Amino acid sequence: MSDLKIEGYEFKPGYRGMAEDTGSAQTMFKGVHWGKAMMWIFLLSDTFIFSCFLISYMKGRGSTPVEWPNPSEVFALHVGGVDVPLLLIAIMTFVLITSSGTMALAVKYGYEKNRKMCGWLILATAIGGLTFVGMQAFEWSKLIHEGVRPWENPFGAKQFGSFFFMITGFHGTHVSIGVIFLFIYAYKTFAGHYDERKRGWFTSIKGDYVEIEILGLYWHFVDLVWVFIFAFFYLW
Amino acid sequence: MSEDNNDKIIIQSQSSESISGGGSGSTTDIDYVRPAEVGDQDLYHGHSFITKWVFCQDAKVIGVQYFLLATFTGIIGLILSWLMRLQLGFPELASFMTAEHYYQFVTMHGMIMVVYFLTALFLGGFGNFLIPLMVGARDMVFPYLNMVSFWMFFIAVVVLLASFFVPGGPTGSGWTLYPPQSILEGTPGSGMGILLMCLSLILFVAGFTMGGLNYLITVLQARTRGMTLMRMPLTVWGIFTATVLAMLAFPALLVGSLMMSLDKILGTSFFMPTILQAGEVLEYGGGSPILFQHLFWFFGHPEVYIVALPAFGIISDLISVHSRKNIFGYRMMVWAIVVIGGLSFFVWAHHMYVSGMNPWFGFFFATTTLIIAVPTAMKVYNWVLTLWRGNIRLNTVMLWCLGFIVTFVNGGITGIFLGNVTVDVPLSDTYFVIAHFHMVMGIAPLMVIMGAVYHWFPLVTGRMLSEKLGKWHFWFTFLGAYSIYFPMHYLGFIGVPRRYFEMYDSPYVTSAVGMNEFISTAAFIVGAAQFILIYNIIKSLKTGKPAGKNPWQANSLEWLTPSVPPEHGNWGDRLPVVHRWPYDYSVPGAKEDFITQTTPPSDVTNSEVEKT
Amino acid sequence: MHPGIIFFLVILGSVLFHIFTPWYWTDVASNWGSMDDTITLTFWVGGGVFIAVCLFMVYCVFKFSYKEGRRAEYKPEDKKLEKILTWATTLGVAALLAPGLIVWNQYINVPKNAIHIDVMAWQWGWQYRLPGEDGKLGSTKIKNINDNNPFGIILEDPNGKDDILIQSDVIHLKNNRPVKILLRSVDVLHNWYVPQFRAKMDAVPGVVTYYWFEPNKAGEYEVLCAEYCGVGHYGMRGRVFVKNEEDYKNWLQEQETFSDLIAKQEEIEFSKTKLAKK
Ligand code: HEM
Ligand SMILES: [Cu+2]
Ligand SMILES: [Cu+2]
């Protein structure tokens, strides 16, 4: 890491150097913006929340005496006379992953101070997120229509409904919050708040394109969590 | 901050005159400190009363707000403990109290004391006040978020206390909130009470997360020039590590509370198996009550250390300052804090040895638990070794430190009883447990809080507290609390279970009536003695001796601000620059018996500083 | 008074209290004397450390209290001392842990000849079921519980027919014969605890938990619920009689089996219908 250079700091070689860098004065993560560091730690904490949910799900699924429903039947979509398993969910996942891509591009254009491109890409990300939430609402209403409830489930163990609605709901809330922030940030980008370093409405911290990257971290995390939820609910 | 590398020595402290020749404050190469990596913080200064004192963004004010609100809830917890002790010692005087009341009081007392009092006080109170000052920052890194954090805590407290006034009253399920009983008829407050409790906890966690992110990033990314990790006071290390634990442990509490609320509101069966109550089979089925216990204790055990680690850190600093001696084995102390913090995530099921979980877990968790005893013991040794060959000022602060050592060692030893599976079997869920955790996480941290109050009060207010009143306060509290909890262990040996509203006339517990009366009397005295402190504070605010700068001749940065009490922004125009660790006390050859952290090496050339 | 004296008196008082306390554990009445031994061991080691640390503290307070002009020692670290202390502590802790784990291993492995007892808990009481001649308990289901089938025994299970039902909170045990307590709860958590037997375990609804002991002192004992289970927790008591072989047999003979219960109920049913016909 000795060739790494951050303004005002030269990294030292070897493990010993690494330890020294870590423990050195002022900052532990050299050149890392406070907000970014904060988001990383917040996401670590959030990871624990989702882990608790998923571990509880495993335990709940393992200890319930009633049969667990077969996901490829429960989640199948009836298209043109045939049941296609996991169709909707495949589309949802695709949309969400794509939105991660547009988010990454938005960050790039943000740092290039390309206000227009950045703004449009954030907007595209937001729309991707919105589509995801919409499809999830569709999935929920389909299941509810079939009689699945948090407290009961015609296809087997009641915990299926409980965990499904709780965990996807919790994740959906994350996506929705992300979408709201994306819209706000899109507005702020178009309005030039980051170029002009205008102060935040509440925090009175000077605006900076790094904020978009911070939101991007959150967005990628939400996508990543979805992959796990997807695997646990739909593939297991 | 600016880029100028020449900006070397900023604050002159009393000791900065050098012993041999070299002009004071001269800038030589040995004083070189790397230039600033981060720009100076841009702060929002409040103008009106509201922005200055209510929705304030200054961490010091937020710290005091946290302190006051936590103390307020703590007093409620104390009053509840009086009521319980009245019932246990003098049931004939407590005829107004039903078993329902008793269990509600136990629950609210336990939860308030652990979460809303100690956690909020150590992290929210001391963390906010001390972290920026001790690491040489102008403020927490996200002042706005910090302000919201306090107000979330405020709402959480309001929701918690509101549960006293809802139909059915507050939850009476024990602070562990174990389902199924916590949400079933047969437990007081199983309706609105438990829901408000869960809601309040969720709000607390949300608020705490906002504060916690602040503490962590401030320590990680906003230290002043020269402040390396290994130059941080142990107080900062303790609070920092505790915050890390909190960030990773509270999620489990959040998830547990959420799932339990859903079980209650929507009728899901996360924690609810098939249940037959009053002759009827309930709608629930298939859930696992033990899952909740795992979630709870995955939070609950680290929580113990969330309270203990800041206490460890603070006490180390107090002992060092008032023994005029460096803390013994600083590096060991730091690593012990970190190791204890890490291990605390692998011991949670020692609370569940007799819970009906797979008994094979017992081997694992007993082993990890006893491993934790080693770094903890090292800390104790280092505290007493710091006293050894020190120059101990036997003032009020030191008395609290000594009281802490006695109670903590006592409680730590009984912890080894309870951690060691087999020994735990006869003792778990008896008064031995009550005595143990009150000693180790009730009284011992309380001693630290009191010591810290006497120590930092001059910094917060600019006036000293009365030593005389302080000593009375100490002896009443220490002797009283010790005589509450030391004999109580023996009730546990007899086999008296905890959470018993009344003993009736079990043949072998009737002999304990006398002891219960004694304990209750002591509890009333200890509680009343706390009003000495309140009186002392009120009186000293007006008439206390002015503290002046650095009244204890301490080294760490918080005492070196240009104005006392420090103003918003802490450091005036220029941030301090740190040249050494905070424990250079009684350095041979140095003029004074302390060398502040900002004293440059050129000022102490003739002395034998070993560690910088 | 010098604070050191008071601290010293506190330590001394603690030791004296421990020696002269009239409150101490009840005489053990089961094989788990080994638990008392582990406690005693922990007491010696832990108590020794407590006294040593506190007395050292008191010594320091006397010896090194503040004197104007005196300097404390300046010695940030003492690697050797720290090492010695670490290893000594580790050894001490290991010495405490090992016996603990050994006894725990005995605790969770039930002897083959143990009599199985189904202890059923509810808010707020106990009842018991013993295996009949076949030595096996019939399987149960909470949903089967009703007035005619107070234990929820599955009727199709042949093992259940001769089960001995004790619908009372008083149980008798045979002296010097291990028992395996199978805990079951129909509603919330409970814990069947007799202080003199030392052992305990929670009853958890939805699962069956267990522990074992061997009573070795005839007499009468009180059962206390040791896991909070709602407002009636403190009143959830029961009684155990430990009897010698003969008395135990006599008692057992008097108890009703599940088939007895069914027969009795059928009789009642029969006479009821007969009455109705008349
Ligand atoms: C002198 C002050 C205190 C007194 C007299 C006191 C008294 C009591 C009493 C009588 C109980 C109920 C025991 C039972 O029936 O099982 C109790 C429980 C408890 N106390 Fe305290 N207490 C005090 C301070 C504290 C402090 C500072 C803490 C902070 C850790 C604390 C934490 C708890 C907890 C966690 C419980 C368990 C609640 C439960 O069983 O759910 N107490 N206390
Ligand atoms: Cu624990
Ligand atoms: Cu109970």
Side-chain angles (χ1 to χ4, degrees):
Chain A
M1 297 248 289
S2 56
D3 50 338
L4 234 166
K5 266 211 185 78
I6 299 286
E7 226 175 314
Y9 192 81
E10 204 167 316
F11 285 88
K12 297 178 192 65
Y15 285 117
R16 191 157 269 278
M18 209 159 90
E20 235 170 89
D21 293 336
T22 312
S24 69
Q26 302 195 62
T27 60
M28 182 160 188
F29 307 112
K30 298 293 167 199
V32 175
H33 187 266
W34 286 346
K36 253 166 80 178
M38 175 194 84
M39 185 51 84
W40 276 112
I41 290 176
F42 170 72
L43 294 180
L44 182 67
S45 185
D46 215 10
T47 307
F48 269 61
I49 296 188
F50 278 105
S51 309
C52 287
F53 273 128
L54 290 175
I55 290 169
S56 301
Y57 163 75
M58 287 190 255
K59 163 84 182 161
R61 182 165 172 174
S63 62
T64 171
V66 187
E67 191 85 20
W68 204 257
N70 179 355
S72 52
E73 283 163 23
V74 180
F75 295 121
L77 210 55
H78 205 69
V79 190
V82 275
D83 275 340
V84 189
L86 305 182
L87 176 61
L88 180 65
I89 219 63
I91 302 175
M92 277 166 78
T93 310
F94 177 75
V95 170
L96 203 60
I97 305 267
T98 312
S99 77
S100 246
T102 51
M103 187 75 228
L105 284 175
V107 173
K108 172 181 162 275
Y109 282 111
Y111 280 130
E112 286 170 9
K113 303 240 157 24
N114 190 337
R115 190 202 291 188
K116 277 258 162 57
M117 272 310 271
C118 177
W120 283 114
L121 281 162
I122 296 178
L123 218 49
T125 313
I127 288 167
L130 216 51
T131 318
F132 176 87
V133 176
M135 287 194 282
Q136 189 156 55
F138 174 76
E139 169 109 314
W140 273 38
S141 51
K142 174 175 161 283
L143 283 173
I144 291 173
H145 206 74
E146 288 166 359
V148 183
R149 299 283 185 281
W151 55 91
E152 70 183 13
N153 169 22
F155 305 110
K158 13 171 137 192
Q159 276 76 15
F160 170 78
S162 329
F163 278 112
F164 179 79
F165 287 118
M166 179 177 70
I167 296 180
T168 56
F170 199 76
H171 177 263
T173 312
H174 272 71
V175 179
S176 308
I177 292 172
V179 167
I180 293 171
F181 272 91
L182 282 167
F183 277 122
I184 296 173
Y185 278 38
Y187 166 78
K188 289 176 74 151
T189 312
F190 282 128
H193 288 198
Y194 300 125
D195 288 330
E196 295 155 22
R197 310 223 56 201
K198 220 167 141 177
R199 286 181 185 277
W201 292 316
F202 295 109
T203 57
S204 72
I205 291 177
K206 279 194 190 132
D208 190 304
Y209 275 107
V210 74
E211 287 174 36
I212 295 171
E213 193 187 350
I214 295 170
L215 185 62
L217 289 176
Y218 174 82
W219 193 254
H220 298 316
F221 169 79
V222 171
D223 285 5
L224 185 71
V225 168
W226 175 252
V227 173
F228 278 92
I229 294 176
F230 172 74
F232 272 103
F233 273 96
Y234 296 88
L235 303 182
W236 178 15
Chain B
M1 229 171 79
S2 56
E3 256 91 75
D4 53 337
N5 298 1
N6 306 325
D7 185 12
K8 297 257 163 53
I9 294 130
I10 290 164
I11 289 185
Q12 294 286 322
S13 61
Q14 283 122 299
S15 70
S16 62
E17 293 146 60
S18 65
I19 304 127
S20 62
S24 86
S26 69
T27 58
T28 56
D29 258 340
I30 52 164
D31 293 347
Y32 175 74
V33 174
R34 269 195 304 105
E37 287 169 27
V38 271
D40 205 353
Q41 194 175 358
D42 169 25
L43 293 175
Y44 172 81
H45 295 279
H47 298 294
S48 60
F49 177 79
I50 302 244
T51 47
K52 258 187 172 147
W53 302 109
V54 184
F55 297 107
C56 179
Q57 301 195 20
D58 180 354
K60 293 187 295 298
V61 177
I62 296 174
V64 174
Q65 286 174 329
Y66 256 112
F67 186 94
L68 293 178
L69 187 54
T71 309
F72 170 73
T73 54
I75 290 175
I76 294 176
L78 178 76
I79 293 170
L80 294 175
S81 81
W82 269 349
L83 291 169
M84 291 185 292
R85 276 319 320 179
L86 190 68
Q87 164 64 32
L88 295 173
F90 307 97
E92 62 282 1
L93 296 180
S95 49
F96 56 89
M97 197 143 76
T98 61
E100 276 90 352
H101 288 136
Y102 182 82
Y103 289 124
Q104 290 171 324
F105 295 167
V106 171
T107 308
M108 296 306 271
H109 163 79
M111 195 61 97
I112 284 179
M113 287 300 193
V114 173
V115 176
Y116 298 85
F117 174 55
L118 290 179
T119 306
L121 198 93
F122 272 121
L123 299 180
F126 289 114
N128 266 312
F129 197 92
L130 293 175
I131 289 177
L133 281 168
M134 283 189 156
V135 302
R138 290 208 179 276
D139 204 325
M140 286 291 179
V141 287
F142 311 109
Y144 181 80
L145 204 61
N146 208 16
M147 181 263 283
V148 180
S149 159
F150 170 74
W151 287 101
M152 285 293 266
F153 172 56
F154 184 84
I155 299 171
V157 170
V158 170
V159 172
L160 181 82
L161 298 183
S163 72
F164 277 103
F165 304 101
V166 296
T171 173
S173 53
W175 87 285
T176 47
L177 308 179
Y178 282 177
Q181 54 261 45
S182 57
I183 59 171
L184 291 181
E185 299 285 323
T187 304
S190 60
M192 282 300 278
I194 184 75
L195 285 178
L196 286 181
M197 174 61 88
C198 289
L199 178 65
S200 173
L201 287 172
I202 290 171
L203 288 169
F204 181 88
V205 172
F208 179 81
T209 305
M210 299 177 193
L213 291 170
N214 258 306
Y215 316 153
L216 294 184
I217 306 302
T218 306
V219 173
L220 289 176
Q221 299 293 84
R223 280 164 282 139
T224 191
R225 290 168 60 203
M227 182 61 92
T228 61
L229 286 185
M230 284 311 214
R231 279 178 182 171
M232 292 197 306
L234 286 166
T235 300
V236 177
W237 269 109
I239 296 176
F240 172 77
T241 316
T243 310
V244 175
L245 299 195
M247 298 296 285
L248 304 183
F250 280 142
L253 177 68
L254 184 99
V255 169
S257 303
L258 192 71
M259 285 163 73
M260 195 148 75
S261 312
L262 293 178
D263 277 1
K264 182 74 205 174
I265 306 172
L266 293 183
T268 55
S269 297
F270 293 116
F271 306 130
M272 307 299 278
T274 309
I275 286 167
L276 175 81
Q277 213 185 19
E280 267 175 68
V281 178
L282 307 183
E283 288 289 315
Y284 296 113
S288 162
I290 295 192
L291 173 60
F292 179 86
Q293 301 187 14
H294 281 295
L295 286 172
F296 184 86
W297 288 114
F298 186 81
F299 143 76
H301 190 81
E303 168 64 37
V304 174
Y305 285 100
I306 291 167
V307 172
L309 293 180
F312 290 174
I314 291 173
I315 206 75
S316 308
D317 282 350
L318 301 192
I319 290 182
S320 170
V321 172
H322 294 280
S323 306
R324 313 310 297 153
K325 190 177 164 216
N326 62 75
I327 190 78
F328 184 84
Y330 173 80
R331 275 186 294 180
M332 173 78 98
M333 293 300 249
V334 170
W335 284 111
I337 287 180
V338 174
V339 168
I340 291 172
L343 280 175
S344 73
F345 281 102
F346 300 94
V347 300
W348 77 88
H350 64 205
H351 299 271
M352 297 168 61
Y353 289 141
V354 295
S355 71
M357 67 170 177
N358 186 334
W360 289 97
F361 286 162
F363 294 107
F364 175 78
F365 285 102
T367 310
T368 50
T369 303
L370 287 221
I371 289 175
I372 265 202
V374 178
T376 312
M378 292 317 298
K379 296 197 73 79
V380 172
Y381 301 149
N382 286 0
W383 289 321
V384 286
L385 285 172
T386 304
L387 294 175
W388 189 46
R389 299 191 178 157
N391 196 12
I392 304 167
R393 294 175 179 157
L394 279 171
N395 54 17
T396 314
V397 182
M398 180 50 80
L399 288 180
W400 291 109
C401 297
L402 301 176
F404 165 81
I405 294 178
V406 173
T407 48
F408 183 76
V409 176
N410 191 299
I413 300 277
T414 51
I416 294 189
F417 284 69
L418 296 173
N420 197 351
V421 251
T422 352
V423 189
D424 178 61
V425 173
L427 298 176
S428 78
D429 277 307
T430 67
Y431 266 88
F432 189 89
V433 175
I434 302 280
H436 153 70
F437 70 68
H438 276 95
M439 201 70 120
V440 80
M441 80 169 297
I443 302 308
L446 210 66
M447 298 272 144
V448 178
I449 289 174
M450 295 306 170
V453 167
Y454 284 88
H455 184 76
W456 279 300
F457 187 81
L459 180 65
V460 179
T461 64
R463 285 179 189 274
M464 309 292 279
L465 281 171
S466 153
E467 277 282 307
K468 197 163 150 224
L469 285 174
K471 287 195 168 135
W472 281 109
H473 176 208
F474 169 76
W475 287 115
F476 271 118
T477 309
F478 171 72
L479 293 177
Y482 196 82
S483 46
I484 296 173
Y485 293 111
F486 187 79
M488 198 187 275
H489 292 93
Y490 294 80
L491 283 182
F493 282 128
I494 302 177
V496 182
R498 68 191 277 202
R499 296 173 175 164
Y500 263 37
F501 168 62
E502 197 171 38
M503 287 322 304
Y504 291 147
D505 48 356
S506 299
Y508 43 89
V509 297
T510 37
S511 70
V513 171
M515 192 203 292
N516 265 324
E517 287 172 357
F518 171 76
I519 288 177
S520 291
T521 313
F524 302 142
I525 295 174
V526 170
Q530 304 319 305
F531 292 92
I532 303 179
L533 174 66
I534 295 178
Y535 173 73
N536 196 350
I537 287 179
I538 293 173
K539 196 182 129 223
S540 300
L541 272 178
K542 290 210 202 89
T543 61
K545 198 170 80 183
K549 278 193 183 182
N550 202 355
W552 308 116
Q553 295 91 37
N555 287 344
S556 44
L557 290 183
E558 82 270 23
W559 297 103
L560 308 177
T561 52
S563 56
V564 178
E567 284 163 355
H568 191 199
N570 294 348
W571 307 107
D573 309 334
R574 292 174 134 188
L575 288 165
V577 174
V578 168
H579 294 276
R580 61 190 68 247
W581 72 334
Y583 299 106
D584 270 335
Y585 291 104
S586 303
V587 175
K591 187 156 169 267
E592 309 251 7
D593 69 351
F594 69 112
I595 306 174
T596 59
Q597 279 193 279
T598 50
T599 311
S602 59
D603 274 4
V604 281
T605 42
N606 226 12
S607 68
E608 305 154 25
V609 181
E610 274 182 40
K611 158 109 197 176
T612 50
Chain C
M1 202 171 5
H2 193 285
I5 299 175
I6 309 183
F7 281 109
F8 176 75
L9 289 178
V10 168
I11 312 306
L12 186 70
S14 308
V15 175
L16 292 178
F17 185 93
H18 181 70
I19 296 173
F20 294 110
T21 177
W23 301 281
Y24 210 44
W25 57 43
T26 47
D27 290 335
V28 63
S30 78
N31 60 317
W32 294 122
S34 47
M35 287 185 187
D36 288 3
D37 297 341
T38 53
I39 294 183
T40 311
L41 175 70
T42 318
F43 239 124
W44 279 106
V45 176
V49 172
F50 173 67
I51 294 168
V53 170
C54 290
L55 288 186
F56 184 73
M57 182 191 96
V58 169
Y59 163 77
C60 291
V61 170
F62 276 116
K63 183 88 202 275
F64 304 111
S65 62
Y66 192 81
K67 283 200 196 71
E68 195 65 53
R70 203 190 65 210
R71 279 286 165 98
E73 185 191 43
Y74 184 75
K75 191 169 183 190
E77 267 169 4
D78 184 339
K79 286 250 165 65
K80 207 171 126 210
L81 182 60
E82 287 176 60
K83 217 181 225 161
I84 294 172
L85 286 172
T86 314
W87 283 111
T89 312
T90 311
L91 268 177
V93 163
L96 294 178
L97 179 63
L101 294 185
I102 292 168
V103 180
W104 181 250
N105 192 42
Q106 294 162 5
Y107 190 65
I108 65 179
N109 289 304
V110 186
K112 290 258 162 20
N113 65 340
I115 304 175
H116 290 202
I117 303 183
D118 174 25
V119 175
M120 184 174 136
W122 73 87
Q123 284 174 323
W124 289 276
W126 311 97
Q127 61 185 21
Y128 310 91
R129 185 167 57 115
L130 292 160
E133 239 102 88
D134 60 357
K136 279 188 196 137
L137 287 164
S139 33
T140 58
K141 207 165 138 190
I142 287 194
K143 290 198 171 142
N144 282 4
I145 297 176
N146 58 40
D147 288 347
N148 296 340
N149 187 356
F151 287 81
I153 298 171
I154 295 174
L155 297 169
E156 293 77 38
D157 186 348
N159 292 335
K161 288 285 184 297
D162 63 348
D163 284 0
I164 297 163
L165 311 183
I166 299 148
Q167 292 191 58
S168 135
D169 55 16
V170 184
I171 176 105
H172 292 225
L173 300 176
K174 189 152 57 169
N175 203 359
N176 294 321
R177 176 77 189 265
V179 283
K180 179 177 187 180
I181 303 289
L182 290 157
L183 289 150
R184 189 151 73 90
S185 165
V186 301
D187 41 39
V188 302
L189 307 172
H190 301 277
N191 190 322
W192 198 79
Y193 169 54
V194 176
Q196 288 86 343
F197 297 155
R198 301 292 187 261
K200 61 163 84 82
M201 186 60 72
D202 281 4
V204 182
V207 293
V208 176
T209 56
Y210 75 91
Y211 68 92
W212 75 277
F213 62 90
E214 183 183 317
N216 59 14
K217 202 179 266 166
E220 182 190 341
Y221 303 98
E222 187 179 24
V223 180
L224 301 158
C225 179
E227 180 58 78
Y228 178 63
C229 54
V231 268
H233 172 54
Y234 64 99
M236 194 169 159
R237 315 286 174 96
R239 258 174 313 148
V240 181
F241 289 90
V242 176
K243 293 267 166 92
N244 59 31
E245 177 107 38
E246 207 164 310
D247 292 348
Y248 179 73
K249 263 209 189 110
N250 291 340
W251 172 79
L252 206 60
Q253 232 99 68
E254 288 163 20
Q255 307 304 316
E256 196 179 46
T257 65
F258 188 39
S259 342
D260 291 346
L261 186 74
I262 297 174
K264 199 164 82 189
Q265 266 146 7
E266 272 166 3
E267 214 167 277
I268 296 171
E269 206 71 11
F270 185 66
S271 52
K272 253 196 219 152
T273 39
K274 229 171 36 188
L275 230 84
K277 266 184 197 159
K278 266 187 185 170

